[in-house]
Amino acid sequence: MTYFANPVHHYTGKRRHRVDIVGLFTLIFLLLAAFPVYGQETPPVITADNIARLQPVERITFADLPAEAGRVESGWFAASADGQQIALLNRDNGIVLWDFAQGGYVATATTACGDQPGAFVDGGFNRDGSYFVAAYLAGATGYVAFHPLDESQAAGRVVCDLPALPLRVWPGDTGQAWLEFFPNDPQLAPSVGLLLPGAEWDAALIPSGPENDADSFFRVGRIEPPLAVTATREGVVKRWNLETGDVTAEAQLGALPGIGQVNRGGDQAGRYFAWVDGSGTALHLLDFETGANRSLTVLNGKSVPFLWLTSGADIVIGVNVDSELGVTAWDTATGQVYDLGVYRSCSRPPDRVHLSYDGTTLVIGCDTGLDIWRVGEQ
């Protein structure tokens, strides 16, 4: 049975100084009069027209985090839809919440069902960045925790005794969370369920489409829910909607993809699939709507461990290509290659790379911290 826990939900955050309101408005007026307010503008969406100006603009260095954040050593992170909010994971399974609009570090949140906190599995921000939802393993079951971004908001909630072991979680509408499960009972199938704002499930769990497809040989990694992509041994790639369990498109490829990514955001979200074959021969772009696939550039065996596709599918972004410490981009119309420079110094390859849902922000995380890349003025 699913129930609410009495959450052990601790927040440790900075208290911000109160500012006299008249003085504040005076200061803002003087700043507006003297300088353009670039920081208040929405960053441009990354496109082929501005890709040459994609550059590191902000940074989170783990060694400089306040003591309240705990010890952060992993470059795993989650980013909000606009890239302004970041969640990190410390060694104690605490969620370190960061908001650039609030000046940086916000709080560290920990939760538990019962006496012992669980092991973090997955997490993500809701669309407006007001809370972070996380899934944890706890013994033979798991739980979900909703962490509000700011300590001034209402306390988060915890839902214990999940019906199976959580594999992935992604927020739905306000207060909702979708989860993909792997069952404890081997006779049961992997499933997907929607947790409502209370502690109830929307309906019976549905089978996970990609995890129960007998024809699929493997599932392409790093595809953001609710989409998923699988490939058969014969090179047929299928695009899935995890929330319905349905195949929404499929196409035949000439080789099996070693890595791939769909475009996100906008009216054409999920239509295009950028991929590299398992031998690293070439970079390709598939149009799921027409089934047309074309080669963009020859790679000659270069590895592309992190691959992202802009919302308009006009630029493919690769990070750590051929194990080099840098960011590379390819124009899907012209084939032009952009060497955009190096990211922060790391002692190992990145742990995670993410392009924000709105297409404005590329985040690169490794053992020393995070780099935030956006389109700059020059």
Side-chain angles (χ1 to χ4, degrees), residues 5 16 31 35 40 62 79 96 110 123 140 177 189 211 228 234 239 247 256 264 284 291 314 343 356 360:
R16 295 167 178 81
L31 289 173
F35 303 101
Q40 294 182 2
F62 295 157
V96 179
T110 59
E211 296 298 329
E234 294 74 29
R239 186 188 66 199
V247 174
L256 290 177
R264 304 171 66 227
H284 310 263
D314 54 350
Y343 51 86
S356 63
T360 65

Side-chain angles (χ1 to χ4, degrees), residues 242-256:
L242 291 172
E243 295 174 1
T244 64
D246 296 328
V247 174
T248 57
E250 62 180 73
Q252 176 71 58
L253 300 181
L256 290 177

Side-chain angles (χ1 to χ4, degrees), residues 35-66:
F35 303 101
V37 194
Y38 295 118
Q40 294 182 2
E41 296 177 354
T42 301
V45 173
I46 300 167
T47 68
D49 293 332
N50 59 31
I51 186 62
R53 305 201 309 273
L54 183 65
Q55 58 193 272
V57 296
E58 293 180 288
R59 173 170 287 181
I60 300 174
T61 299
F62 295 157
D64 296 337
L65 290 173

Side-chain angles (χ1 to χ4, degrees), residues 102-363:
Q102 295 189 44
Y105 173 73
V106 173
T108 298
T110 59
T111 51
C113 281
D115 297 331
Q116 297 296 324
F120 176 82
V121 175
D122 190 26
F125 288 94
N126 66 328
R127 190 59 56 85
D128 66 9
S130 61
Y131 67 86
F132 179 80
V133 59
Y136 300 82
L137 289 175
T141 181
Y143 63 91
V144 177
F146 294 80
H147 302 291
L149 189 65
D150 196 301
E151 60 183 318
S152 66
Q153 299 180 29
R157 65 188 180 98
V158 181
V159 180
C160 295
D161 285 349
L162 297 181
L165 301 176
L167 288 175
R168 295 171 185 86
V169 62
W170 61 99
D173 296 332
T174 302
Q176 296 181 349
W178 287 91
L179 289 103
E180 190 171 14
F181 295 107
F182 189 83
N184 288 320
D185 186 345
Q187 295 182 345
L188 300 177
S191 58
V192 173
L194 173 62
L195 180 64
L196 296 175
E200 300 296 330
W201 297 99
D202 183 37
L205 303 183
I206 64 171
S208 169
E211 296 298 329
N212 292 287
D213 183 33
D215 295 331
S216 291
F217 180 42
F218 66 90
R219 181 169 171 177
V220 178
R222 299 177 182 148
I223 305 293
E224 296 288 320
L227 298 181
V229 175
T230 61
T232 70
R233 293 180 183 273
E234 294 74 29
V236 175
V237 287
K238 302 179 182 182
R239 186 188 66 199
W240 299 82
N241 182 337
L242 291 172
E243 295 174 1
T244 64
D246 296 328
V247 174
T248 57
E250 62 180 73
Q252 176 71 58
L253 300 181
L256 290 177
I259 185 173
Q261 187 60 260
V262 296
N263 61 322
R264 304 171 66 227
D267 297 335
Q268 301 293 314
R271 173 175 175 174
Y272 297 96
F273 178 61
W275 62 283
V276 176
D277 56 275
S279 301
T281 304
L283 172 66
H284 310 263
L285 184 67
L286 168 69
D287 184 340
F288 268 118
E289 185 171 302
T290 66
N293 180 72
R294 57 191 176 91
S295 177
L296 301 179
T297 187
V298 175
L299 294 175
N300 291 320
K302 291 182 179 180
S303 62
V304 186
F306 299 97
L307 191 69
W308 285 91
L309 183 60
T310 57
S311 57
D314 54 350
I315 288 290
V316 178
I317 300 174
V319 175
N320 199 225
V321 176
D322 206 27
S323 301
E324 294 291 334
L325 192 106
V327 178
T328 306
W330 297 270
D331 188 311
T332 62
T334 67
Q336 182 174 351
V337 183
Y338 296 87
D339 182 357
L340 299 173
V342 300
Y343 51 86
R344 66 181 305 125
S345 178
C346 307
S347 62
R348 62 175 185 249
D351 295 316
R352 180 166 166 78
V353 176
H354 179 83
L355 182 64
S356 63
Y357 182 83
D358 68 356
T360 65
T361 307
L362 178 73
V363 186

